[in-house]
Amino acid sequence: MAADESWQKICDDYGILNHDFVDSPFILSADQIKTACQDFKRTGEKEVRILCMQDSRKKQPKVFTDNNLFLLPVRNGVYAIIKGEGYVDIPEIDSAPISYDSNLPFLPDTSRVGSSEMQHLDYAYASSLIRNFMGDDSLILTIRGRKYTSELSFVVGEHKNRITVNGVQTEVDAGYEGLKQVLLIEAKNTAIDNVVIRQLYYPFRLWQMHTKKKVHSFFFEKRGERYCFWRFVFDDVEDYNSIRFVDSVRFSIANKHS
């Protein structure tokens, strides 16, 4: 991939592979990345945003995969290079799809235009599918879009010392609050088999600070005509790697007006 040479040079320039990762992550700034990559020609080889967009294992540079490293943003323009496992698998759903009868009195024309993840989530919510499978008629859409984290401290990877994150942009594709629970959903519109834990962990920690209700973390994809949900929990709130897959389910939505 285009980032392989860039990240190899970054690691060489700053001696990253010689760092004592048992003690702590390696802290790297956006300015350092720009300096190391200033002589590369292509945007994908020098643009910080693109180089640091590593939301699945296949987007990691070779030097990271070869050395069991991954990247986490910790402040605005500051990243931590972590030794350990930064991703969680999205397993295949083997169970048969469950047919769900939409509660909508009509089939919205606009729901069939385009193919964005939020569009599919909105239709699943409007048809009451999300309320139904969570068994909670009180759920309402209350969270969407980008927020910045407050200060978070946690253990991660193979390091003996905690790291602190503050003011990092995070995003929830859809969040629903009910009388006793909050449901956070990270959604994709293309099939993937793993995702960086950060996309579930940072929103979980952020919103847990603002409510005493139970906070649930889900991953969502629409695969063909199936609406697929994967539930994850963090067994230790302050441990990034304590994520655990719980269960999954997929639905087909039937609408008598279609």
Side-chain angles (χ1 to χ4, degrees):
M1 59 185 291
D4 285 345
E5 291 186 16
S6 302
W7 276 108
Q8 185 63 61
K9 185 173 186 302
I10 293 167
C11 288
D12 291 344
D13 284 1
Y14 301 114
I16 292 173
L17 300 184
N18 296 322
H19 179 71
D20 181 8
F21 283 100
V22 173
D23 183 61
S24 62
F26 186 95
I27 303 303
L28 182 71
S29 72
D31 286 341
Q32 287 176 302
I33 296 173
K34 289 178 184 176
T35 298
C37 300
Q38 61 185 336
D39 293 330
F40 286 99
K41 303 302 181 185
R42 291 183 290 177
T43 301
E45 296 175 320
K46 61 182 181 180
E47 174 63 44
V48 174
R49 179 185 61 83
I50 297 174
L51 290 172
C52 295
M53 191 182 298
Q54 301 178 21
D55 56 0
S56 66
R57 292 190 186 102
K58 71 177 182 180
K59 293 184 179 179
Q60 287 190 285
K62 187 174 185 299
V63 68
F64 277 29
T65 57
D66 286 350
N67 292 279
N68 194 30
L69 303 175
F70 69 97
L71 193 71
L72 281 183
V74 292
R75 295 191 302 279
N76 184 26
V78 180
Y79 301 87
I81 298 177
I82 313 285
K83 192 172 188 66
E85 176 59 80
Y87 299 83
V88 64
D89 292 329
I90 307 297
E92 287 294 330
I93 302 178
D94 296 326
S95 58
I98 299 170
S99 180
Y100 171 76
D101 293 326
S102 171
N103 285 352
L104 288 171
F106 63 95
L107 179 62
D109 293 333
T110 52
S111 70
R112 292 175 286 176
V113 179
S115 186
S116 73
E117 58 265 37
M118 278 195 256
Q119 169 189 338
H120 300 315
L121 272 176
D122 285 344
Y123 183 59
Y125 174 67
S127 66
S128 289
L129 169 61
I130 290 175
R131 293 189 184 101
N132 181 272
F133 93 82
M134 288 298 293
D136 188 349
D137 289 336
S138 70
L139 288 172
I140 58 172
L141 178 65
T142 57
I143 304 168
R144 172 158 285 170
R146 298 170 181 173
K147 295 283 188 297
Y148 289 88
T149 66
S150 304
E151 183 173 298
L152 309 175
S153 176
F154 52 91
V155 295
V156 57
E158 301 176 11
H159 315 294
K160 65 182 181 182
N161 293 319
R162 299 168 70 90
I163 71 167
T164 299
V165 169
N166 196 2
V168 172
Q169 181 176 281
T170 188
E171 185 170 5
V172 171
D173 291 304
Y176 309 90
E177 182 176 351
L179 290 173
K180 297 181 179 180
Q181 62 183 336
V182 174
L183 170 61
L184 304 177
I185 298 183
E186 169 65 25
K188 301 292 183 186
N189 61 1
T190 57
I192 62 173
D193 56 15
N194 65 84
V195 67
V196 66
I197 298 170
R198 168 182 56 81
Q199 292 189 337
L200 295 169
Y201 185 68
Y202 282 15
F204 169 74
R205 288 293 307 274
L206 170 65
W207 289 105
Q208 190 194 52
M209 295 173 69
H210 295 289
T211 182
K212 294 182 179 179
K213 299 176 182 181
K214 177 70 174 178
V215 179
H216 300 277
S217 298
F218 278 83
F219 183 79
F220 167 83
E221 279 184 13
K222 184 170 183 284
R223 295 186 173 183
E225 296 304 312
R226 311 304 187 200
Y227 292 75
C228 305
F229 296 86
W230 292 260
R231 187 197 311 254
F232 293 89
V233 298
F234 291 94
D235 291 324
D236 182 345
V237 171
E238 296 187 358
D239 185 345
Y240 177 96
N241 291 108
S242 70
I243 191 169
R244 176 169 55 88
F245 167 70
V246 178
D247 55 24
S248 59
V249 63
R250 56 179 173 170
F251 296 93
S252 60
I253 300 180
N255 191 306
K256 62 183 177 181
H257 302 282
S258 59

